[in-house]
């Protein structure tokens, strides 16, 4: 996943708290080993290596994570798609300086293998099969939320009544601060990512943000977001950031990117139909939009 995690635990005993944090770190590392695409032995890469050839049996938690991912793909009509991995870095490489844009035809060709409907799950033997050779799955849109949620679950099981798991800015918080008040978090200003434009008091809530300020290419003076529309292979425009609030970190992480792809009107309409979820959108004209159940003052 390649993300930095920070874990905070509220407890009377410092040594006990540090032990719980170490256990949470081990849990995150365990999930990283399962899902990473940077290790040939991960279950993700085992599935990818057999694309178009044969199904691969995976751990039940990986199977269920893929099943939930496919449900989100259906819910967002493909705006979220774990088969995005077939786009290689020759199309968009946000780790280096790009000097030119790919043409629309090339981009369309590169996304031909992105199709969540071609992921076949076999419930009986717990296997996953990618129908087309060259298909690749990746958990970049949901993995860190899943890891944060699993770390929180473990800490709760171990008796931690209050804490925060922060996965590179996407976080889940439960309980309260040592003084008994709710946790206060800042929502990043997309024009100055280290500065918040709003604060929220939260408890038992996860927050995830997808913004065009994290990774982008600057070509001929124009910024191109790292968020790629799975249907066109081209960067999404019109939105600077989407912040999702949900009781579950996995869901919050998974919904931030597709709302960016879907746009302000369709994205808000979807969020307004999901119980317990809220969002804040900043468009490229710095206008702020919120779902019905959230107010910013």
């Amino acid at each position: 996943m390649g993300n930095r995690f920070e874990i905070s635990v509220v407890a009377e005993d410092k040594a006990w708290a540090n032990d719980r944090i170490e256990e949470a770190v081990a849990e995150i590392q365990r999930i990283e080993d399962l899902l990473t695409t940077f290790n040939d032995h991960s279950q993700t890469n085992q599935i990818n290596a057999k694309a178009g050839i044969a199904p691969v049996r995976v751990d039940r938690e990986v199977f269920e994570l893929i099943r939930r991912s496919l449900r989100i793909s259906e819910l967002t009509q493909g705006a979220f798609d774990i088969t995005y991995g077939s786009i290689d870095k020759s199309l968009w490489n946000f780790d280096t300086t790009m000097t030119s844009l790919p043409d629309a035809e090339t981009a369309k060709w590169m996304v031909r293998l992105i199709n969540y409907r071609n992921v076949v799950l076999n419930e009986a033997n717990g296997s996953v099969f990618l129908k087309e050779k060259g298909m690749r799955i990746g958990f970049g849109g949901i993995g860190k939320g899943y890891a944060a949620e699993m770390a929180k679950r473990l800490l709760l099981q171990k008796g931690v009544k209050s804490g925060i798991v922060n996965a590179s800015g996407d976080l889940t918080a439960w309980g309260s601060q040592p003084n008994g008040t709710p946790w206060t978090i800042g929502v990043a200003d997309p024009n100055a990512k280290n500065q918040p434009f709003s604060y929220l008091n939260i408890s038992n809530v996860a927050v995830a943000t997808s913004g065009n300020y994290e990774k982008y290419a600057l070509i001929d003076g124009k910024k191109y977001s790292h968020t790629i529309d799975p249907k066109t292979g081209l960067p999404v425009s019109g939105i600077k950031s989407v912040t999702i609030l949900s009781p579950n970190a996995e869901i919050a992480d998974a919904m931030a990117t597709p709302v960016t792809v879907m746009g302000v009107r369709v994205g808000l309409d979807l969020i307004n139909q999901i119980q317990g979820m809220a969002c804040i959108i900043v468009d490229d004209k710095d206008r702020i939009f919120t779902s019905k159940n959230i107010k910013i003052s």
Side-chain angles (χ1 to χ4, degrees), residues 133-203:
K133 280 191 175 180
M135 280 184 71
R136 292 175 59 84
I137 62 170
F139 294 95
I142 194 171
K144 67 177 178 178
Y146 175 66
E149 192 65 30
M150 292 295 285
K152 173 190 169 185
R153 181 181 302 181
L154 182 142
L155 290 169
L156 283 168
Q157 289 171 348
K158 296 288 185 177
V160 176
K161 295 179 179 177
S162 299
I164 293 180
V165 179
N166 184 346
S168 299
D170 296 350
L171 59 84
T172 181
W174 70 101
S176 57
Q177 299 184 73
N179 64 5
T181 60
W183 299 100
T184 301
I185 65 161
V187 179
D189 183 342
N191 297 311
K193 68 176 185 178
N194 295 322
Q195 298 293 325
F197 78 86
S198 180
Y199 290 95
L200 300 170
N201 291 324
I202 64 169
S203 183

Side-chain angles (χ1 to χ4, degrees), residues 58-268:
V58 296
D59 289 358
R60 197 69 201 178
E61 70 172 300
V62 175
F63 186 91
E64 295 297 338
L65 179 60
I66 293 173
R67 194 205 311 261
R68 293 195 297 277
S69 297
L70 298 181
R71 286 177 183 157
I72 294 172
S73 295
E74 292 175 0
L75 178 69
T76 60
Q77 299 181 345
F80 173 90
D81 197 322
I82 60 168
T83 65
Y84 75 92
S86 60
I87 299 180
D88 68 29
K89 290 188 174 181
S90 64
L91 183 65
W92 289 99
N93 188 349
F94 295 97
D95 296 331
T96 60
T97 301
M98 292 184 66
T99 57
S100 62
L101 292 170
D103 62 82
E105 278 193 19
T106 301
K108 189 73 175 175
W109 170 251
M110 295 291 286
V111 299
R112 71 194 186 283
L113 294 174
I114 299 178
N115 188 347
Y116 67 93
R117 297 178 183 85
N118 286 335
V119 180
V120 180
L121 300 181
N122 186 313
E123 177 70 36
N125 62 15
S127 68
V128 182
F129 179 51
L130 308 182
K131 284 185 179 179
E132 303 288 340
K133 280 191 175 180
M135 280 184 71
R136 292 175 59 84
I137 62 170
F139 294 95
I142 194 171
K144 67 177 178 178
Y146 175 66
E149 192 65 30
M150 292 295 285
K152 173 190 169 185
R153 181 181 302 181
L154 182 142
L155 290 169
L156 283 168
Q157 289 171 348
K158 296 288 185 177
V160 176
K161 295 179 179 177
S162 299
I164 293 180
V165 179
N166 184 346
S168 299
D170 296 350
L171 59 84
T172 181
W174 70 101
S176 57
Q177 299 184 73
N179 64 5
T181 60
W183 299 100
T184 301
I185 65 161
V187 179
D189 183 342
N191 297 311
K193 68 176 185 178
N194 295 322
Q195 298 293 325
F197 78 86
S198 180
Y199 290 95
L200 300 170
N201 291 324
I202 64 169
S203 183
N204 303 319
V205 169
V207 182
T209 298
S210 177
N212 68 357
Y213 49 85
E214 292 293 349
K215 281 186 179 180
Y216 58 87
L218 197 61
I219 301 172
D220 295 332
K222 184 175 179 180
K223 181 187 284 188
Y224 293 89
S225 162
H226 75 288
T227 303
I228 304 296
D229 186 335
K231 292 183 175 63
T232 65
L234 298 174
V236 173
S237 60
I239 289 180
K240 287 185 176 179
S241 74
V242 171
T243 298
I244 300 287
L245 291 86
S246 164
N248 182 289
E250 176 188 319
I251 302 296
D253 185 18
M255 290 301 292
T257 296
V259 169
T260 304
V261 173
M262 297 166 84
V264 175
R265 184 181 61 80
V266 178
L268 281 177

Side-chain angles (χ1 to χ4, degrees), residues 279-295:
C279 79
I280 305 166
I281 300 174
V282 181
D283 75 0
D284 59 0
K285 294 182 174 61
D286 292 325
R287 294 177 297 188
I288 299 173
F289 302 86
T290 65
S291 55
K292 291 178 180 176
N293 49 0
I294 191 167
K295 303 292 181 189

